[in-house]
Amino acid sequence: MTAEKYVKEVSKLLKCRTAKKKAIRDKLLSDINSAVASGERLEDVFAKMGIPWDYANRYNDNFDKAEKAAARREKTIKIWGIVIAVIVIAAGLIYWNMPKWSDISESTVFNEEQVRMAAEEIITFYSNDEYEAVVAYMTDDMKEVLNAPTLSLSKSQLVTEDFGDFQSFGQMYISEAKQGSKLFAMVQVSVAYTNTSVTYTLTFDADMKLAGFFVK
């Protein structure tokens, strides 16, 4: 064990304020170095001082109640400082990853009409059971989750699998969402068929690839 490591171990066990710990640490290191400089072996110096626990407790036994109370307050403040810092960082990360919405007309990445046409085409493919055509629009990540069979299954689990004939698109809501450093265009629209009405939510990435597809 080096003198620095011994002093560090003693310092960690002291029940006093940081400023007092530093003063004790500096004096202890100076005393050890002086003893070694005068010809004593470091091992012999440690043997006389005892293990760090015993040496630290000699000081601890002599600290008054006020010093110990001040040390506890200081430790509590440090702990709360760390907790608050973690909360702030976590909140910042959550905020960073939360979608920030803006009007699609203000986008510098997406063309509103292009997004509208892509959404209508994908919905038409899905309505006509052309699932492979829907998959072709997807990002690689989406293709790992959805494929033609799972799209077919999702349709069968709706209120009715037979939508009937297409009637009309309802009001189409298109927004730009920023999540982290990525931009997405999100579309939500209700579509009327002869047998039912279905609400679609589609998400496109900056390359106009389908990154999200939800039907209810």
Side-chain angles (χ1 to χ4, degrees):
M1 180 182 292
T2 64
E4 289 77 11
K5 187 173 181 180
Y6 181 92
V7 171
K8 185 177 180 180
E9 290 297 316
V10 170
S11 178
K12 287 193 297 185
L13 296 166
L14 292 172
K15 297 177 181 179
C16 59
R17 291 166 296 165
T18 300
K20 197 170 190 68
K21 279 186 182 182
K22 184 180 183 307
I24 294 171
R25 187 169 60 242
D26 291 346
K27 182 178 185 306
L28 178 56
L29 185 59
S30 175
D31 290 345
I32 293 173
N33 289 334
S34 294
V36 172
S38 66
E40 290 189 61
R41 294 192 314 156
L42 185 60
E43 293 81 358
D44 294 335
V45 175
F46 288 158
K48 286 193 296 185
M49 298 173 70
I51 62 174
W53 174 268
D54 289 339
Y55 192 87
N57 278 337
R58 294 176 203 164
Y59 278 98
N60 291 335
D61 291 342
N62 291 314
F63 291 142
D64 58 26
K65 290 182 179 179
E67 181 63 38
K68 291 180 180 179
R72 286 194 295 271
R73 284 196 301 273
E74 184 181 77
K75 185 176 181 179
T76 300
I77 291 170
K78 283 183 179 179
I79 291 172
W80 275 108
I82 293 170
V83 170
I84 291 169
V86 169
I87 291 172
V88 169
I89 291 169
L93 289 173
I94 291 170
Y95 177 79
W96 172 255
N97 286 296
M98 283 179 62
K100 284 84 174 175
W101 304 97
S102 59
D103 194 310
I104 195 71
S105 64
E106 300 173 358
S107 176
T108 59
V109 174
F110 298 102
N111 177 278
E112 184 174 2
E113 188 58 29
Q114 183 185 13
V115 174
R116 183 185 305 278
M117 290 175 61
E120 290 181 353
E121 185 171 35
I122 291 169
I123 291 170
T124 301
F125 285 145
Y126 184 78
S127 301
N128 295 333
D129 299 338
E130 298 178 53
Y131 305 121
E132 291 292 352
V134 177
V135 172
Y137 255 103
M138 294 179 179
T139 64
D140 290 338
D141 289 341
M142 274 286 289
K143 290 176 183 177
E144 293 180 3
V145 179
L146 286 177
N147 51 35
T150 53
L151 285 172
S152 177
L153 178 62
S154 72
K155 195 172 185 181
S156 70
Q157 292 177 336
L158 295 171
V159 175
T160 175
E161 183 177 0
D162 181 13
F163 289 0
D165 296 331
F166 170 84
Q167 297 292 300
S168 64
F169 286 103
Q171 176 72 36
M172 190 174 287
Y173 300 95
I174 308 176
S175 300
E176 182 180 76
K178 183 176 183 181
Q179 187 168 23
S181 59
K182 296 181 179 180
L183 290 172
F184 299 92
M186 182 168 283
V187 179
Q188 188 170 79
V189 60
S190 291
V191 180
Y193 302 89
T194 53
N195 296 334
T196 189
S197 179
V198 177
T199 299
Y200 294 86
T201 303
L202 293 80
T203 305
F204 295 94
D205 68 8
D207 297 319
M208 283 303 297
K209 287 288 189 179
L210 188 62
F213 185 76
F214 181 71
V215 186
K216 67 175 182 177

